[in-house]
């Protein structure tokens, strides 16, 4: 391989972009590489290996079939009420459970009907639902004929999703059986936007406040606080521990976590398991954060984004450890291959510091907020923060039409029930095995080493190329790379000369010479190829270094 055609100044200029925007340039270069390959003029992306995005290449089929079967049933309910060509009516509650049973018996060959039946039975038995009410909620939600009521989340859907979160994110040991309260959102991205927006609008955070980010972290958590709307002062809590020379642990040392003890730090954001290192918080770090909240910084607000929690055995969210202080963000996108569905939730315990902070605001601030929410209640001061999130998501004035679309809530419900069935547990084991097999193949091809860690989710891997250079050839080789090349130069070289697309780890506030590899979106053997290309890149750099030494 040779040096990339993209010059150093251009590489330096492009490196100012978000890694997700910079990826577009890598994709363009990879497509050019493919067009230049003999016999590939008509298939410009046939061999491009784009491991830059976290969209998985699997989906959960069972709960989707159950949803489609539910749709078939719901339409029979609609036509039962009113039939005129393509015009139907709204499903009626009275007697609906019996009619559902009859439909199941009459359609045993309908794909998904048995899983739907067992999901309904599980929900009724586990949560003590009234069967008529639950089946009616499902049927009505699936055809989307009403506005969401309650606007925050459907009653049965909230209890089922809470049960799913207890099982999968709290290791079956929630802080309280009826908590947290949930707000269904358009994916985790909407949840992030709503949280930052409402914390500012309600005076819990103010422009210029000091917040902390546990880095490396998903790039929007870096970019949102820097917007002129917020202009937060950011303290970075860095996962900078090394297991040995050239092998990063991606763990937070005590002195880094200690930064959260400063009472001026109003908020800390983390992705757990982390993105890109893909490691769950250690027990030591969790206990240190709990101790800080118990002593030095009791009003610290924690935003924990736990989308990858299902990939770690025995995972336990900070929301279960610090329920009064924590806003939980969860998305169904990765585990279920459902990025296009936009299914997420915000969780907050009824007893929480945010509502206390709002209640303790100066009179003028509380009067301002009373005016803001005064059209929603005669006692706006009693509106809790989680319901203010809902109102703010629709500029308050459209609160009566707020809420996640009901078909999406029905699918979320069925995803959650599926996870509580044996088939869902088997599915979880399979997707975990998929990403771990891909990680093994990547490491086999590259010859790189990573720290052994039982808390590794393995959805991504972050590889520090400069540390690897030191491991294989010493500090002089690493210093040569740092002096003569931009940190993203290896990514340009990979894209131009091999068609491989990775993301720059520096864009996640990780080490500048690190790269993120998604282990979710390519075929297994593609990761072996990517590993071989990384190994060749290092061989080329080493040859260039050795040639300068000989000269």
């Amino acid at each position: 391989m040779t040096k990339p055609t993209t010059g150093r100044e251009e590489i330096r200029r492009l490196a100012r972009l978000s890694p997700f925007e910079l990826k577009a340039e890598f994709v363009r270069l990879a497509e050019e590489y493919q067009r230049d390959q003999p016999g590939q003029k008509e298939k410009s992306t046939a061999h491009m290996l784009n491991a830059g995005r976290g969209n998985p290449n699997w989906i959960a089929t069972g709960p989707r079939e159950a949803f489609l079967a539910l749709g078939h049933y719901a339409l029979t309910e609609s036509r039962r009420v009113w039939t005129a060509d393509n015009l139907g009516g709204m499903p009626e509650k009275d007697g609906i459970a019996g009619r559902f049973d009859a439909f199941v018996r009459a359609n045993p060959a309908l794909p998904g009907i048995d899983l739907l039946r067992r999901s309904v039975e599980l929900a009724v038995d586990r949560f003590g639902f009234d069967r008529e009410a639950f089946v009616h909620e499902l049927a009505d939600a699936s055809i989307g004929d009403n506005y969401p009521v309650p606007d925050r989340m459907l009653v049965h859907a909230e209890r089922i999703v809470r049960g799913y979160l207890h099982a999968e994110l709290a290791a079956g040991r929630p802080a309280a059986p009826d908590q947290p309260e949930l707000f269904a959102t358009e994916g985790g991205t909407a949840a992030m936007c709503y949280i930052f927006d409402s914390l500012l609008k309600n005076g819990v955070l103010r422009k210029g406040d000091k917040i902390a980010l546990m880095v490396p972290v998903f790039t929007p958590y870096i970019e949102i606080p820097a917007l002129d709307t917020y202009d937060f002062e950011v303290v970075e809590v860095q996962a900078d521990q090394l297991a040995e020379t050239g092998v990063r642990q991606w763990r937070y040392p005590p002195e880094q976590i200690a930064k959260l003890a400063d009472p001026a730090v109003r908020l800390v954001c983390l992705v757990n398991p982390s993105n890109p290192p893909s490691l769950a918080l250690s027990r030591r770090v969790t206990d240190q954060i709990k101790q800080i909240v118990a002593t030095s910084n009791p009003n610290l607000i924690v935003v924990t984004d736990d989308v990858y929690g299902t990939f770690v055995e025995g995972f336990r969210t900070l929301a279960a450890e610090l329920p009064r202080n924590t806003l939980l963000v969860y998305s169904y996108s990765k585990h279920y291959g459902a990025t296009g569905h936009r299914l997420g939730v915000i969780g907050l315990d009824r007893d929480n510091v945010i509502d206390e902070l709002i209640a303790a605001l100066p009179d003028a601030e509380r009067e301002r907020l009373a005016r803001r929410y005064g059209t929603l209640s005669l006692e706006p001061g009693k509106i809790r923060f989680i319901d203010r999130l809902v109102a703010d998501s629709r500029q308050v004035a459209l609160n009566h039409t707020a809420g996640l679309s009901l078909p999406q809530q029905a699918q979320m419900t069925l995803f959650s029930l599926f996870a509580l069935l044996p088939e869902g547990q088997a599915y979880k084991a399979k997707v975990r095995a998929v990403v771990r097999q891909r990680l093994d193949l990547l490491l086999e091809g590259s010859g790189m080493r990573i720290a052994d860690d039982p808390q590794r989710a393995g959805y991504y891997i972050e590889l520090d190329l400069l540390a690897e250079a030191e491991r294989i050839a010493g500090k002089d080789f690493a210093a040569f790379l740092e002096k003569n090349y931009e940190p993203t130069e290896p990514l340009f070289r990979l894209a131009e000369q091999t068609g491989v697309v990775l993301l720059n780890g520096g864009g996640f506030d990780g080490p500048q010479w690190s790269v993120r590899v998604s282990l979710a979106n390519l075929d297994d053997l593609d990761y072996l190829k990517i590993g071989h290309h990384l190994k060749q890149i290092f061989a080329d750099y080493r040859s260039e270094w050795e040639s300068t030494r000989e000269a």
Side-chain angles (χ1 to χ4, degrees):
M1 295 184 190
T2 60
K3 291 184 179 181
T5 58
T6 308
R8 188 169 186 177
E9 287 303 316
E10 179 66 1
I11 290 174
R12 186 179 291 130
R13 187 181 71 85
L14 290 169
R16 296 199 298 267
L17 294 172
S18 157
F20 296 99
E21 304 307 322
L22 181 56
K23 176 172 66 70
E25 179 67 13
F26 297 147
V27 169
R28 183 187 68 79
L29 294 170
E31 288 175 344
E32 287 184 0
Y33 160 81
Q34 182 52 35
R35 283 194 296 270
D36 291 341
Q37 302 309 299
Q40 294 296 329
K41 300 299 182 182
E42 303 303 319
K43 295 183 179 180
S44 64
T45 62
H47 294 291
M48 181 174 67
L49 300 179
N50 184 353
R53 194 166 193 184
N55 198 115
N57 65 348
W58 63 76
I59 68 164
T61 56
R64 284 174 166 89
E65 277 191 333
F67 176 79
L68 295 175
L70 173 63
H72 281 290
Y73 165 66
L75 287 176
T76 68
E77 285 293 315
S78 178
R79 292 183 177 120
R80 172 185 168 274
V81 174
W82 189 357
T83 299
D85 296 325
N86 284 315
L87 187 150
M90 293 181 167
E92 293 179 341
K93 179 179 175 182
D94 289 347
I96 196 170
R99 294 192 298 274
F100 173 75
D101 292 340
F103 180 86
V104 171
R105 290 192 299 270
N107 296 274
L110 180 64
I113 194 66
D114 184 62
L115 180 58
L116 176 62
R117 175 190 64 79
R118 289 185 292 114
S119 296
V120 169
E121 295 305 322
L122 172 65
V124 171
D125 291 345
R126 180 164 180 154
F127 300 100
F129 291 157
D130 175 84
R131 207 160 182 274
E132 296 266 292
F134 177 53
V135 173
H136 182 259
E137 179 180 288
L138 274 181
D140 195 61
S142 71
I143 57 176
D145 61 338
N146 274 300
Y147 289 110
V149 178
D151 48 19
R152 182 160 54 78
M153 195 169 186
L154 293 176
V155 173
H156 299 88
E158 181 178 15
R159 289 187 61 187
I160 290 167
V161 171
R162 183 186 297 125
Y164 165 71
L165 297 176
H166 286 172
E168 295 298 333
L169 301 188
R173 306 188 315 276
D178 60 345
Q179 298 297 318
E181 296 179 314
L182 301 176
F183 170 25
T185 63
E186 303 86 345
T189 52
M192 293 167 57
C193 296
Y194 296 160
I195 287 170
F196 278 105
D197 181 60
S198 285
L199 287 173
L200 195 72
K201 281 186 167 64
N202 282 276
V204 179
L205 294 180
R206 297 183 179 280
K207 186 174 182 177
D209 271 355
K210 183 183 290 189
I211 72 166
L213 300 177
M214 297 182 70
V215 298
V217 72
F218 184 42
T219 305
Y221 284 105
I222 301 167
E223 296 175 348
I224 290 173
L227 295 173
D228 58 4
T229 304
Y230 306 101
D231 197 24
F232 291 140
E233 178 186 347
V234 175
V235 175
E236 290 194 344
V237 178
Q238 297 176 340
D240 58 4
Q241 283 187 320
L242 291 173
E244 58 185 273
T245 299
V247 180
R248 285 191 175 270
Q249 279 189 322
W250 302 110
R251 288 297 184 188
Y252 301 96
E255 62 271 19
Q256 288 290 323
I257 298 298
K259 295 175 181 178
L260 302 179
D262 178 2
V265 175
R266 308 292 307 281
L267 170 81
V268 58
C269 298
L270 67 150
V271 178
N272 184 27
S274 52
N275 176 7
S278 210
L279 297 173
L281 283 186
S282 67
R283 185 73 248 175
R284 174 187 59 77
V285 169
T286 297
D287 287 344
Q288 188 178 356
I289 295 173
K290 288 174 67 176
Q291 181 64 21
I292 286 170
V293 169
T295 55
S296 308
N297 198 355
N299 290 327
L300 178 68
I301 298 167
V302 178
V303 175
T304 183
D305 186 335
D306 294 355
V307 60
Y308 307 104
T310 54
F311 290 86
V312 174
E313 183 66 29
F315 177 80
R316 188 161 168 81
T317 174
L318 269 178
E321 300 279 350
L322 284 169
R324 292 194 72 250
N325 295 70
T326 305
L327 282 157
L328 170 67
V329 174
Y330 180 72
S331 166
Y332 288 71
S333 60
K334 305 304 193 297
H335 186 75
Y336 295 95
T339 53
H341 268 290
R342 315 311 299 143
L343 303 178
V345 289
I346 298 170
L348 180 63
D349 268 43
R350 177 175 283 272
D351 175 22
N352 66 82
V353 298
I354 299 175
D355 284 330
E356 290 179 359
L357 290 169
I358 293 172
L361 288 170
D363 289 346
E365 274 291 278
R366 285 188 285 110
E367 289 171 7
R368 176 184 68 81
L369 292 174
R371 290 192 298 272
R372 176 176 179 81
Y373 301 107
T375 59
L376 306 183
S377 170
L378 296 178
E379 297 181 289
K382 293 183 178 180
I383 299 175
R384 293 172 301 117
F385 181 71
I386 196 162
D387 293 312
R388 296 178 187 223
L389 281 164
V390 179
D392 292 339
S393 75
R394 298 297 184 270
Q395 293 291 301
V396 181
L398 290 166
N399 182 72
H400 62 289
T401 61
L404 182 66
S405 110
L406 295 188
Q408 288 172 286
Q409 292 197 48
Q411 181 67 83
M412 187 188 298
T413 298
L414 292 173
F415 278 145
S416 299
L417 289 170
F418 173 70
L420 301 176
L421 289 166
E423 297 97 315
Q425 292 299 300
Y427 169 85
K428 177 172 67 175
K430 287 178 182 176
V431 296
R432 287 178 176 177
V434 165
V435 294
R436 284 167 191 173
Q437 166 75 0
R438 293 172 180 179
L439 175 57
D440 289 344
L441 289 167
L442 176 71
L443 296 175
E444 178 186 338
S446 66
M448 299 179 76
R449 290 175 58 185
I450 62 173
D452 291 331
D453 199 315
Q455 295 292 95
R456 186 179 299 282
Y459 196 90
Y460 305 105
I461 188 70
E462 185 165 12
L463 301 171
D464 187 337
L465 302 186
L466 207 61
E468 175 67 6
E470 183 176 345
R471 185 184 75 84
I472 63 174
K475 290 184 178 181
D476 288 348
F477 180 35
F480 167 81
L481 292 179
E482 201 165 17
K483 177 182 178 181
N484 291 281
Y485 303 99
E486 293 301 306
T488 56
E489 205 261 9
L491 300 179
F492 281 89
R493 192 176 290 207
L494 280 168
E496 283 189 18
Q497 299 172 19
T498 72
V500 169
V501 175
L502 306 179
L503 294 190
N504 54 311
F508 299 83
D509 278 10
Q512 289 299 308
W513 278 81
S514 64
V515 298
R516 187 187 86 160
V517 185
S518 167
L519 299 165
N521 64 327
L522 296 174
D523 294 337
D524 292 4
L525 290 178
D526 288 335
Y527 291 94
L528 185 64
K529 297 174 187 176
I530 291 172
H532 287 314
H533 289 312
L534 279 169
K535 190 172 187 177
Q536 184 59 52
I537 285 283
F538 264 105
D540 293 340
Y541 281 128
R542 189 165 184 173
S543 294
E544 293 165 20
W545 171 57
E546 288 173 348
S547 68
T548 62
R549 297 174 73 197
E550 292 169 0

